[in-house]
Amino acid sequence: MTNRTFKTGVRRDQPSLLPARVEDYVAGDNPVRVIEAFVAALDLGKLGFRHAGSSGGAGQPPYDPADLLKLYLYGYLNRIRSSRNLEREARRNLELIWLMKRLVPGYRTIAKFRQENWKTLKAVNREFVLMLRELGLIGGEVVAIDGAFFDGNASKASIKTQRKLAKRLAEIEQDIEAYGATLEANDSAEVERPPAGRDGGGDGSRGGDLAQEVAALMAKRASLQADLARLEESGQTQLSRTDPDARLLSKNGQVVAGYNVQIGVDDKHALIAASEVVNDGNDSGQLYDMAKAAKDELGVETLTVLADTGYYNGHTLKDCEENGIAAYVPLAKRTTRLEAQDRISHEAFAYDAEADVYRCPAGKQLRPTDGRKTNGNRIEIRYVSRKSDCDACPLRARCVTVKIPTRTVQRWEHEAVLDRHRARMQGAEAQMRRRAELAEHPFGTIKCRAGYRHFLVRGFDKVCGEWSLMALCYNFSRVLSILGLDAFMAYLASRLPHLALLLLNAITDIITRIRPAPAPIRAQIRPIFRYAA
């Protein structure tokens, strides 16, 4: 017997043992079959999908949107997002060969489908949330809200802020002035210099170079002025020529050129119930919009939402309360500097609703003044102490100053909303721990496991479409893990009569094209019948 040192592979000239039928390329319990069943259960025409690559006129017929949607779902579930990589995998990946029935769209067709169907990709994501409700996988009682930055398809250097543009414009103005002074000096020297002969070494080239440089600087100045005028007209503070909707976003020292993705995660199975993409780096104005979107998607009358301190905003808390949403948001700490100086902050003053007065730490009253004060978008009431009370107070040095001998507390006209919120936050440590568990899970999975930290497309609408694919595939993989393949397939098969209509159309089409071959017909419809039974 001969001992072989290494394992040996098969002979390259050995005939292939792959099954002759594409149907046999994947096992009956392969998850790729769930993608097939899911897309078959969708009414793509009602969702608004467009044919990619053709208008249906003369020439090659277009690819079915169902096939391209299957391709993208498989790709995003398996960390393949690039259109070129998807084309490559469609040629060599047996699961994709089965899923696509040996169709291999070009990468341009694949990319165009994602770009053109951003709105319908969002609709598919919403349709899947409705399926989650039907499956009972969403509790609809508690939702955690959070946001995360994702890089856009643009560099930080490509995004100019108003301050940077103004600074650069000032620098160019100085350079133009300096060049202008140099040109004047050259002109004066030329006048004083005696005329030189033809070969006298007269140097006119430098003056020509200076004139060209000045002309280039003036062109740059005109471009910067146009950019600043565009920003002023639009009311924006940043400008990007690469991706007009990407922004420089900053949080906790992290600066990203991209977008801020907001999600609402249901408490039952950590599934994304609602999501949105914004290009505002500040979360404080996003609470109500996300809570309302989650409430609408879940179809409930009341909802509890959990968010972190970055979402604390009086107006959004008021909107939430008025619309049946109980928000749990930690109060923003804004008294650190005063406490470090051993000063008494406004939080030490207690409001007496019955008497409509504030009481200071010494027990004295601050009474409301006539009129109202507008502070930004807030209308406030001023409560002022008596000078005689402050003069005799032992806490005077920590509370008032020589220039301002009385203490004033500003109260928002809807401060009662914040009072109720503060009372609700007493003992809410458990809710805040639950918020972290829920909200961080999807972002951790999408960014770390899948590696999706940036968008491949440009433009706000297209970015929203790509995020819908990410969120849909996150939910899809979790449902497959929770239910298992058989239960998930049985549910998709039960979504009749739409599936039955598709089945009837498929059978009719096959019979029309292949009249004398009943066996292949049965082979193609057998998987659907198996799960519809």
Side-chain angles (χ1 to χ4, degrees):
M1 181 182 289
T2 303
N3 292 327
R4 290 180 293 180
T5 308
F6 303 105
K7 292 183 177 182
T8 58
V10 299
R11 292 166 54 91
R12 289 193 176 94
D13 57 356
Q14 179 176 325
S16 172
L17 298 180
L18 281 175
R21 297 190 315 156
V22 174
E23 172 61 26
D24 297 329
Y25 282 14
V26 298
D29 59 350
N30 192 307
V32 74
R33 293 182 179 273
V34 186
I35 299 175
E36 171 82 12
F38 170 66
V39 176
L42 296 174
D43 188 345
L44 299 185
K46 183 178 179 181
L47 292 173
F49 275 96
R50 298 174 57 190
H51 287 289
S54 171
S55 60
Q60 288 287 338
Y63 285 95
D64 189 340
D67 290 324
L68 294 171
L69 179 59
K70 294 174 195 175
L71 179 62
Y72 267 114
L73 288 175
Y74 182 89
Y76 275 76
L77 283 168
N78 292 276
R79 291 177 283 184
I80 308 169
R81 292 195 294 165
S82 164
S83 58
R84 292 178 185 269
N85 288 340
L86 286 171
E87 179 188 1
R88 186 183 304 117
E89 290 299 312
R91 296 181 185 277
R92 65 185 185 182
N93 187 315
L94 288 181
E95 292 179 340
L96 270 181
I97 291 173
W98 178 89
L99 187 64
M100 298 291 292
K101 293 169 286 190
R102 286 183 172 166
L103 289 173
V104 184
Y107 70 88
R108 288 190 178 89
T109 298
I110 297 171
K112 189 176 181 181
F113 176 82
R114 179 171 52 190
Q115 294 171 2
E116 290 183 344
N117 291 284
W118 62 269
K119 187 179 296 185
T120 43
L121 289 173
K122 292 180 67 176
V124 172
N125 190 26
R126 289 194 298 269
E127 183 72 13
F128 194 73
V129 174
L130 293 177
M131 293 184 183
L132 298 180
R133 290 171 54 184
E134 293 179 1
L135 286 163
L137 297 179
I138 288 184
E141 296 179 357
V142 179
V143 168
I145 294 175
D146 198 11
F149 292 166
F150 282 71
D151 289 296
N153 194 355
S155 67
K156 296 178 185 178
S158 68
I159 301 177
K160 306 297 183 183
T161 64
Q162 195 169 19
R163 181 179 61 83
K164 288 182 179 180
L165 289 173
K167 181 180 178 182
R168 180 59 181 154
L169 181 61
E171 292 173 351
I172 289 180
E173 293 280 6
Q174 292 178 357
D175 291 341
I176 291 175
E177 290 180 4
Y179 276 116
T182 302
L183 286 173
E184 290 181 2
N186 287 347
D187 291 343
S188 300
E190 188 69 25
V191 171
E192 297 174 359
R193 185 184 304 131
R198 177 173 295 180
D199 298 327
D203 186 11
S205 63
R206 179 55 181 161
D209 291 343
L210 286 175
Q212 292 177 1
E213 291 172 1
V214 170
L217 285 174
M218 294 184 71
K220 289 182 180 179
R221 179 178 67 177
S223 176
L224 289 171
Q225 289 173 339
D227 289 343
L228 284 170
R230 191 186 316 167
L231 282 178
E232 185 176 355
E233 182 180 355
S234 64
Q236 300 290 331
T237 59
Q238 298 183 24
L239 177 69
S240 172
R241 291 190 177 90
T242 305
D243 183 349
D245 296 319
R247 295 290 181 268
L248 287 175
L249 310 177
S250 176
K251 182 191 295 183
N252 299 327
Q254 174 194 15
V255 179
V256 168
Y259 297 85
N260 185 3
V261 177
Q262 300 285 317
I263 60 173
V265 186
D266 185 74
D267 177 65
K268 190 171 184 178
H269 287 293
L271 293 164
I272 299 176
S275 61
E276 194 56 76
V277 180
V278 298
N279 55 10
D280 184 359
N282 193 346
D283 292 334
S284 65
Q286 307 300 328
L287 178 66
Y288 173 70
D289 291 339
M290 281 308 305
K292 183 65 166 58
K295 183 169 174 281
D296 293 341
E297 292 290 346
L298 297 173
V300 294
E301 294 296 327
T302 60
L303 185 68
T304 298
V305 297
L306 314 175
D308 61 23
T309 308
Y311 288 85
Y312 187 85
N313 180 290
H315 290 281
T316 58
L317 289 171
K318 174 178 174 291
D319 292 338
C320 286
E321 184 180 272
E322 292 175 349
N323 288 273
I325 300 170
Y328 285 79
V329 185
L331 280 69
K333 187 70 173 178
R334 297 189 177 96
T335 61
T336 304
R337 184 177 59 84
L338 290 175
E339 291 174 356
Q341 298 173 355
D342 194 28
R343 303 279 297 175
I344 298 175
S345 71
H346 67 279
E347 293 181 355
F349 292 74
Y351 180 68
D352 185 343
E354 292 185 4
D356 189 24
V357 297
Y358 273 93
R359 298 190 185 277
C360 72
K364 302 300 182 180
Q365 294 182 353
L366 283 73
R367 298 186 176 277
T369 61
D370 295 333
R372 298 290 185 267
K373 178 183 178 181
T374 301
N375 184 6
N377 58 354
R378 291 164 54 106
I379 298 178
E380 297 177 338
I381 307 167
R382 298 172 65 247
Y383 289 77
V384 184
S385 65
R386 293 179 178 176
K387 185 175 181 302
S388 58
D389 291 337
C390 293
D391 289 342
C393 181
L395 302 176
R396 173 184 171 81
R398 297 175 53 204
C399 189
V400 298
T401 63
V402 176
K403 292 183 178 180
I404 307 176
T406 58
R407 184 61 184 259
T408 300
V409 174
Q410 307 285 354
R411 180 178 176 84
W412 183 34
E413 62 176 349
H414 301 294
E415 192 77 17
V417 173
L418 303 184
D419 291 339
R420 289 189 288 272
H421 174 260
R422 281 188 283 267
R424 186 164 56 245
M425 289 303 297
Q426 296 296 323
E429 292 80 7
Q431 286 90 335
M432 292 300 98
R433 286 193 297 269
R434 184 57 178 159
R435 182 214 68 82
E437 295 170 2
L438 287 173
E440 302 299 337
H441 185 279
F443 284 135
T445 302
I446 291 172
K447 284 191 169 186
C448 298
R449 185 190 66 81
Y452 299 159
R453 298 175 176 269
H454 67 286
F455 293 109
L456 299 180
V457 293
R458 298 174 180 172
F460 194 78
D461 293 336
K462 297 173 186 176
V463 165
C464 290
E466 187 179 9
W467 167 252
S468 295
L469 276 172
M470 295 183 193
L472 171 61
C473 290
Y474 166 83
N475 282 343
F476 195 96
S477 60
R478 278 195 65 77
V479 171
L480 189 57
S481 176
I482 294 167
L483 293 181
L485 185 140
D486 289 337
F488 197 5
M489 288 286 284
Y491 164 75
L492 292 173
S494 70
R495 285 180 63 85
L496 301 174
H498 174 60
L499 188 58
L501 180 60
L502 284 177
L503 182 61
L504 180 61
N505 291 338
I507 293 173
T508 304
D509 181 62
I510 293 169
I511 292 174
T512 302
R513 289 185 290 127
I514 317 173
R515 287 180 186 278
I521 297 175
R522 291 196 299 270
Q524 292 192 43
I525 65 175
R526 188 184 299 117
I528 299 179
F529 278 129
R530 180 193 311 161
Y531 291 100

